[in-house]
Amino acid sequence: MKITFAKPEFPAQGAIVVPVYEGKIWGPLAKALDEHVAGALSRAAAAGKFEGKKDQSIVILAPAGLAVDRVVLIGLGKPKDVDDLAAEAFGGKAISLVQTSGEEQLWLLVEPVTGVTLTDGQFAAHVAMGARLRSYRFDKYQTKQKKEDKPSLRKVVIATGNHTGAKATFAPMDKVADAVFLARDLVSEPANVIHPESYAAEIKKLEALGLKVEILGEKQMKKLGMGSLLGVGQGSDRESQLVIMRWNGGDKADEAPVAFVGKGVTFDSGGISLKPGAGMEDMKWDMAGSAAVVGALAALAGRKAKANVVGVVGLVENMPSGGAQRPGDVVTSMSGQTIEVINTDAEGRLVLADAIWYTQQEFKPKLMVDLATLTGAIIVALGTEYAGLFSNDDKLSNKLTEAGKKAGEPIWRMPMGDAYDQLIKSDIADMKNTGGRDGGSISAAHFIKRFVKDTPWAHLDIAGLAWFKKDGPVTPKGASAFGVRLLDRLIADYYEG
Ligand code: BES
Ligand code: MN
Ligand code: ZN
């Protein structure tokens, strides 16, 4: 699907999407189109109880007097509430209604009315972004898809008063969309295709974008003393990997980088503490935190961000076998701290412990954000609306919260404190890897915190947002790539230039 920008006109074929604002507010183009068809659009709107409320839509087929096959009215809500995300939702809605309709071409009229604060160019660029993000499909393994289920749409034209401005604004956003698609692909791939070794090889390919990629195998990690990470992968036939990505776009090459760290468990069976069978297939996406980090680095490199950023992902497969780690085992992490492994299914934190320690030792980052599908408990607490945020730094928390809001990837800060830290006391080692059911996400965050020195740090538990069970405004159901846009936005708004 190709997206282009052009001056508004009424196309001679395909579909046309017309925005309508809440309270039946129609822009001049919409009005002109309605007049051209002798009021058929406003009549259809009235008959369909369509008032231009956000997310409302109505499809009018074969309108007499027009060459196009269909006119789609989409509600944008109140003009004053139309922001970046509303513009994206509008573009996304258009795609959801037209992508498999049989139409090959779609014109989207972008027409701000009085009260809309977005400029024409921004508005149009965000509509394009929403359209692109919503068009994502992962159907490479569907060999018997019926023609009517396949996308028919080839060409999307965003019609705007400022098409050159929109095109320029969209160019870097398009790179971010590429990165979102990359992350969604990685998360969607089954675990027989994406395992630690193949995953590392995929990341290596990103050197084409100008990233530096280094891969450490088990031998090197053993030398570094990463007993915590290695213990998790010990039961797998695949070799665990630590992959380091560097983007040095900052003005000063020696300026301390921002660091992103990701949990990349390519399949989480639970290990010897085996998970129940029902739903276990979901655990192919237990590497979504790492995919967000890979995607963020790809986005930054793609749009040539002026910042120094490092991404570190721990890639392991958590499997039961004769060689697997057992409950009760004690492992020694790279930090020197020992861990009693009470439950082999609390493996993500064991991976992060060494990845985080390594990141601090190696790069002395100015701040560090880790992302992980860490606990089922965060889904109990926050559902699938917000990811959990845990941090030792108020400023960083506020920046992340703000970036999440703007990017449409919301996060909510959770409490931390000594009483929670007590939950992971061990009788035999420096700590144990589970703190019990109550406050499970918080004790998990405290476990990670024990490997953070005095670096400003934040941990995002994204277990509830990595995989959508139903379509979202700009995310078809399935892998969301949650975190890519948030991290990109954090850099864009606070650490560039
Ligand atoms: N990968 C899971 C967490 C998870 C659950 C992610 C559901 C996405 C959806 C994690 O490794 C895990 O198994 N956590 C355990 C921790 C427990 C054993 C302390 C959990 O949440 O039950
Ligand atoms: Mn687990
Ligand atoms: Zn896991």
Side-chain angles (χ1 to χ4, degrees):
M1 194 184 90
K2 194 170 159 19
I3 300 180
T4 55
F5 297 88
K7 270 196 236 134
E9 61 180 86
F10 297 139
Q13 51 174 310
I16 179 165
V17 168
V18 179
V20 179
Y21 296 83
E22 187 167 336
K24 299 183 190 162
I25 302 170
W26 298 54
L29 285 167
K31 269 187 206 149
L33 195 67
D34 190 35
E35 271 161 31
H36 189 75
V37 294
L41 303 184
S42 41
R43 272 179 54 212
K49 288 188 183 165
F50 172 91
E51 290 157 359
K53 283 193 185 143
K54 199 162 184 252
D55 267 359
Q56 274 189 329
S57 65
I58 192 163
V59 180
I60 300 141
L61 293 173
L66 275 182
V68 294
D69 295 329
R70 64 187 78 206
V71 175
V72 183
L73 306 180
I74 295 180
L76 265 163
K78 298 195 180 94
K80 68 171 177 53
D81 296 337
V82 174
D83 56 7
D84 294 357
L85 297 181
E88 287 175 15
F90 170 74
K93 183 89 184 180
I95 294 302
S96 75
L97 293 170
V98 180
Q99 192 173 24
T100 58
S101 65
E103 303 289 3
E104 292 189 4
Q105 181 184 297
L106 165 66
W107 276 69
L108 271 147
L109 292 190
V110 174
E111 189 175 30
V113 295
T114 313
V116 175
T117 53
L118 292 179
T119 65
D120 279 29
Q122 274 175 330
F123 194 172
H126 282 282
V127 169
M129 184 65 165
R132 170 121 204 256
L133 289 175
R134 183 62 188 265
S135 75
Y136 177 79
R137 319 257 299 185
F138 189 80
D139 52 10
K140 65 193 272 198
Y141 297 117
Q142 296 194 332
T143 65
K144 297 189 173 175
Q145 211 171 34
K146 294 194 199 86
K147 191 163 177 265
E148 61 265 31
D149 295 332
K150 284 189 192 156
S152 52
L153 201 56
R154 305 270 169 270
K155 200 175 156 200
V156 174
V157 184
I158 315 284
T160 164
N162 181 6
H163 63 279
T164 45
K167 194 178 167 192
T169 306
F170 181 60
M173 293 165 78
D174 203 21
K175 300 295 181 186
V176 177
D178 287 344
V180 166
F181 279 26
L182 166 70
R184 286 181 185 168
D185 282 346
L186 290 168
V187 173
S188 302
E189 285 288 359
N192 61 328
V193 175
I194 286 288
H195 48 72
E197 298 153 24
S198 61
Y199 191 179
E202 285 302 314
I203 300 172
K204 188 80 182 164
K205 290 184 190 163
L206 299 180
E207 288 191 327
L209 292 175
L211 287 171
K212 281 192 204 120
V213 178
E214 189 189 349
I215 302 172
L216 305 186
E218 289 184 354
K219 213 172 138 191
Q220 288 146 299
M221 286 192 274
K222 204 166 177 179
K223 239 186 179 165
L224 289 163
M226 295 190 175
S228 182
L229 184 153
L230 287 169
V232 177
Q234 189 180 305
S236 169
D237 287 346
R238 303 291 183 183
E239 201 191 323
S240 301
Q241 314 270 297
L242 191 82
V243 184
I244 300 109
M245 294 153 272
R246 298 214 64 180
W247 171 249
N248 285 327
D251 288 335
K252 286 177 245 144
D254 58 346
E255 190 177 341
V258 170
F260 300 142
V261 182
K263 167 181 173 180
V265 176
T266 60
F267 189 73
D268 180 13
S269 70
I272 296 297
S273 312
L274 195 65
K275 285 182 181 295
M280 203 201 272
E281 68 279 6
D282 282 353
M283 287 300 108
K284 75 169 184 184
W285 50 261
D286 207 19
M287 34 60 74
S290 67
V293 172
V294 173
L297 269 289
L300 295 168
R303 66 172 186 78
K304 305 216 181 322
K306 288 192 180 324
N308 294 345
V309 182
V310 54
V312 176
V313 292
L315 311 182
V316 303
E317 187 183 45
N318 187 21
M319 296 292 271
S321 81
Q325 140 167 293
R326 294 146 292 256
D329 283 6
V330 174
V331 296
T332 303
S333 65
M334 184 183 174
S335 72
Q337 299 178 94
T338 57
I339 304 158
E340 181 187 10
V341 180
I342 298 291
N343 188 323
T344 65
D345 196 12
E347 84 299 339
R349 61 199 79 181
L350 296 169
V351 173
L352 288 174
D354 280 337
I356 277 178
W357 192 265
Y358 174 85
T359 302
Q360 290 165 110
Q361 292 290 94
E362 194 70 18
F363 300 109
K364 314 265 180 289
K366 64 171 131 197
L367 67 95
M368 190 165 56
V369 182
D370 79 73
L371 294 93
T373 48
L374 204 68
T375 65
I378 200 69
I379 312 178
V380 176
L382 297 175
T384 54
E385 302 303 322
Y386 290 86
L389 159 66
F390 303 82
S391 181
N392 62 3
D393 190 278
D394 293 347
K395 276 200 194 120
L396 176 57
S397 285
N398 293 340
K399 288 176 182 174
L400 280 164
T401 302
E402 217 28 56
K405 233 185 243 169
K406 288 190 184 149
E409 297 184 333
I411 57 180
W412 195 267
R413 191 167 182 189
M414 301 284 286
M416 298 189 76
D418 280 346
Y420 294 109
D421 187 74
Q422 297 297 315
L423 297 172
I424 52 172
K425 257 187 170 168
S426 163
D427 290 334
I428 184 175
D430 297 336
M431 69 195 90
K432 55 183 181 179
N433 77 330
T434 59
R437 237 173 74 90
D438 295 354
S441 305
I442 309 176
S443 53
H446 271 283
F447 182 94
I448 298 170
K449 186 167 181 273
R450 292 212 184 188
F451 300 87
V452 176
K453 294 191 251 187
D454 40 20
T455 315
W457 154 81
H459 155 62
L460 304 183
D461 192 338
I462 64 167
L465 287 117
W467 191 272
F468 284 17
K469 295 217 164 71
K470 53 183 202 308
D471 292 339
V474 298
T475 308
K477 82 176 192 197
S480 66
F482 186 96
V484 174
R485 300 186 69 197
L486 187 159
L487 296 179
D488 174 66
R489 191 77 196 219
L490 177 79
I491 298 297
D493 286 358
Y494 301 103
Y495 298 101
E496 267 187 76

